[in-house]
Amino acid sequence: MPLIELQCSRPETSAETLRTSLSVLLARLYERDRGLDPAHLRVLVLRDDATGSAGTAPPLSREDGAGGFTITLSAPFVEQSLAGEPEQLLQLVHALHRELWRGELALAPAVEAAGDTLVAQFAPIARLMLDEYRANRASAWSLPAGSDLLLPHLLRLLDELPDASRRALADYRTDADLDTLTGLAMARLTHLMQTVAFSLGYLAGLQRSAADIAPELKAGLDTSLIGREWPRIAALLAGAAAVEGDARALQMGMLATRIIAVLGSMGLHARTGDDGTVWMDVAATLH
């Protein structure tokens, strides 16, 4: 089993309880999920000042290395989860399970999207989406009951994006700063696509649709700027996850073209110039 390292001051009895509890938790996860390789988690670190990405709970981080990775968790959160309500413990179990899968997938060789220079420009977003999709699909069975699968957050994001895009375009018409407009659009696109893949991965793992969760969620998605792309993206992610090599590269290339289409709905048109480089223009229409 991985080494459990406490980088925080605790009485010996408390430290031993933490190590034992986490060892049991990991052993049960690996026993239940044979797709995970215990040898890949080198060290599980508990630290008082551990923090995760903004807006995520519980706070954790992962550091990848050659052939393995280290996960760092917030020691206070772990202690509260182990001593608190069952829901808190389930959140800890699932967060750790999902991060183990993310680490597992990060060790796999990256498959480049098949296509031209334009497709290659958006290939990193496609890879991020596939990894998020596969990690959430594989860890869906440990998801606590009643989790919202980030669908409400996705709907809020989709509701806010058109106005945000219009404001960015208005600023561009004033200052003609295309670099700023492009940077904002690409950041928003990346976050949107990651959130889409996050939700689709859970839905695939649970074998459910957005309509199964709530009809209003499905209605909101259908009328959003990704309404037409949602089923296409879902099919391409499922297809890419089911194959390897050239077949996956082809699926990833098609996924990149759908990402480009979403960018167009946000107000930017991506194209390849005569010199072979990628150019961004203001789109004629906005969703």
Side-chain angles (χ1 to χ4, degrees):
M1 289 301 292
L3 173 67
I4 297 175
E5 180 179 322
L6 270 64
Q7 295 181 2
C8 50
S9 179
R10 292 292 186 278
E12 187 54 38
T13 53
S14 175
E16 188 57 33
T17 298
L18 275 173
R19 288 193 186 93
T20 301
S21 299
L22 286 170
S23 293
V24 171
L25 189 157
L26 284 170
R28 289 179 177 175
L29 269 177
Y30 285 123
E31 182 180 1
R32 170 67 174 79
D33 195 334
R34 299 293 184 177
L36 295 171
D37 186 344
H40 287 159
L41 176 60
R42 301 290 177 77
V43 187
L44 181 63
V45 178
L46 270 70
R47 219 170 51 206
D48 285 337
D49 61 345
T51 56
S53 12
T56 63
L60 60 79
S61 61
R62 191 187 73 252
E63 183 178 346
D64 298 324
F69 53 88
T70 296
I71 292 178
T72 300
L73 273 167
S74 161
F77 180 86
V78 172
E79 290 170 317
Q80 292 165 15
S81 299
L82 294 174
E85 298 297 321
E87 181 66 20
Q88 289 179 280
L89 179 58
L90 290 173
Q91 288 177 1
L92 168 63
V93 170
H94 178 66
L96 184 55
H97 186 201
R98 186 176 61 201
E99 202 62 28
L100 289 171
W101 264 107
R102 285 173 174 165
E104 195 80 25
L105 294 170
L107 295 173
V111 175
E112 297 298 328
D116 55 17
T117 306
L118 184 59
V119 166
Q121 185 76 19
F122 291 84
I125 301 178
R127 289 197 298 271
L128 175 67
M129 291 178 71
L130 181 61
D131 286 348
E132 195 72 40
Y133 175 87
R134 293 171 70 197
N136 283 15
R137 188 182 67 172
S139 61
W141 61 261
S142 67
L143 192 69
S147 298
D148 63 17
L149 317 185
L150 217 64
L151 284 166
H153 171 70
L154 175 59
L155 283 183
R156 286 193 298 272
L157 186 62
L158 290 168
D159 186 53
E160 294 165 0
L161 265 176
D163 285 343
S165 297
R166 289 186 187 95
R167 288 193 298 271
L169 285 170
D171 290 341
Y172 166 73
R173 293 186 184 102
T174 300
D175 57 28
D177 188 346
L178 185 59
D179 287 343
T180 296
L181 176 64
T182 300
L184 279 172
M186 291 299 292
R188 287 168 175 160
L189 177 70
T190 301
H191 178 56
L192 173 62
M193 293 293 95
Q194 185 176 13
T195 307
V196 166
F198 187 103
S199 298
L200 283 171
Y202 277 142
L203 289 170
L206 296 170
Q207 298 184 326
R208 304 181 75 184
S209 68
D212 295 331
I213 305 298
E216 59 269 23
L217 292 174
K218 177 64 164 59
L221 288 170
D222 286 346
T223 56
S224 74
L225 63 86
I226 62 164
R228 293 177 58 188
E229 300 300 336
W230 178 264
R232 298 171 182 172
I233 291 172
L236 288 169
L237 286 170
V243 295
E244 296 180 353
D246 291 344
R248 176 174 291 173
L250 180 60
Q251 294 284 323
M252 296 290 279
M254 290 189 288
L255 177 59
T257 64
R258 303 331 314 155
I259 296 169
I260 296 168
V262 174
L263 178 66
S265 298
M266 294 169 58
L268 271 185
H269 172 63
R271 63 180 176 85
T272 306
D274 294 337
D275 58 356
T277 58
V278 174
W279 293 82
M280 296 288 187
D281 300 320
V282 176
T285 59
L286 178 67
H287 177 87

